[in-house]
C-alpha cells in the first residue's frame, strides 16, 4: 500500500516536470509565432480617425439603423461620427448621435455604438455595397 502511494507521488512529479519543461515551452513557442497572425493590411488604431473605410463604416451603420432597427421612425444622422475606430482586420467601431422622431411622440437624441466588419477585404472598391458589410452589434438603441 505504501509502495503504491510512493509510485503515485513519483508519477505525478514526473508528469508535472514533463508538462513544465516540455509542453508549456512548446505551446508558448507556437503562440508567439506567426501561426496565428493574420495580416490583412488593415491596421488597428487606438485613436479615432476619419478615412475612407471609417467613413463608409459610419454610412453603412446609419443605413442599417434606418432600414433595420428604426424603420418605423424618422431618423436624422450627423455628417460625421463622434468617434470612429479601426480595430484592424477590417473591423470598425462607430460612435455617433442620432435624432429620432417617433410617429407618436416628440423627437429625442440618442448616442449609439455600432460594431461593423467589411467582409470583402481583397477589394476595397465595393465599400459602398451594403452586401460587403456585416453589422456585428449595435448598442444604445435597445429600449426604443
Amino acid at each position: 500500500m505504501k509502495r503504491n502511494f510512493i509510485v503515485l507521488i513519483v508519477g505525478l512529479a514526473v508528469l508535472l516536470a514533463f508538462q513544465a519543461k516540455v509542453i508549456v515551452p512548446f505551446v508558448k513557442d507556437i503562440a508567439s509565432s506567426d501561426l496565428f497572425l493574420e495580416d490583412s493590411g488593415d491596421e488597428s488604431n487606438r485613436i479615432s480617425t476619419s478615412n475612407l473605410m471609417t467613413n463608409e463604416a459610419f454610412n453603412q451603420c446609419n443605413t442599417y439603423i434606418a432600414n433595420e432597427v428604426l424603420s418605423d421612425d424618422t431618423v436624422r444622422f450627423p455628417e460625421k461620427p463622434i468617434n470612429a475606430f479601426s480595430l484592424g482586420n477590417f473591423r470598425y467601431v462607430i460612435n455617433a448621435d442620432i435624432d429620432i422622431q417617433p410617429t407618436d411622440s416628440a423627437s429625442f437624441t440618442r448616442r449609439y455604438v455600432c460594431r461593423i466588419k467589411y467582409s470583402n477585404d481583397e477589394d476595397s472598391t465595393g465599400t459602398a455595397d451594403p452586401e460587403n458589410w456585416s453589422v456585428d452589434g449595435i448598442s444604445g438603441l435597445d429600449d426604443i
Side-chain angles (χ1 to χ4, degrees), residues 17-139:
F18 179 74
Q19 181 179 352
K21 298 295 181 184
V22 177
I23 301 296
V24 171
F26 178 70
V27 170
K28 283 184 178 180
D29 286 344
I30 290 175
S32 65
S33 72
D34 290 342
L35 180 65
F36 298 109
L37 181 64
E38 190 172 331
D39 187 18
S40 63
D42 184 46
E43 299 296 323
S44 64
N45 193 350
R46 291 183 174 193
I47 299 171
S48 179
T49 58
S50 177
N51 59 38
L52 172 72
M53 294 303 286
T54 57
N55 291 340
E56 194 56 48
F58 173 63
N59 292 335
Q60 294 298 329
C61 283
N62 291 346
T63 301
Y64 179 82
I65 290 169
N67 294 338
E68 303 292 330
V69 179
L70 299 173
S71 60
D72 295 336
D73 301 326
T74 303
V75 292
R76 277 190 329 213
F77 298 98
E79 291 181 27
K80 294 182 178 185
I82 297 169
N83 294 308
F85 298 100
S86 174
L87 301 178
N89 202 24
F90 298 98
R91 293 182 183 274
Y92 304 94
V93 173
I94 306 299
N95 177 239
D97 287 333
I98 179 176
D99 292 324
I100 304 168
Q101 172 66 54
T103 55
D104 58 349
S105 63
S107 68
F108 56 94
T109 302
R110 277 292 163 86
R111 182 163 290 173
Y112 72 89
V113 176
C114 175
R115 186 170 174 155
I116 191 166
K117 179 179 182 352
Y118 181 64
S119 56
N120 194 11
D121 51 326
E122 292 94 26
D123 182 17
S124 63
T125 61
T127 58
D129 185 3
E131 296 295 318
N132 292 332
W133 293 88
S134 60
V135 175
D136 294 334
I138 293 181
S139 63

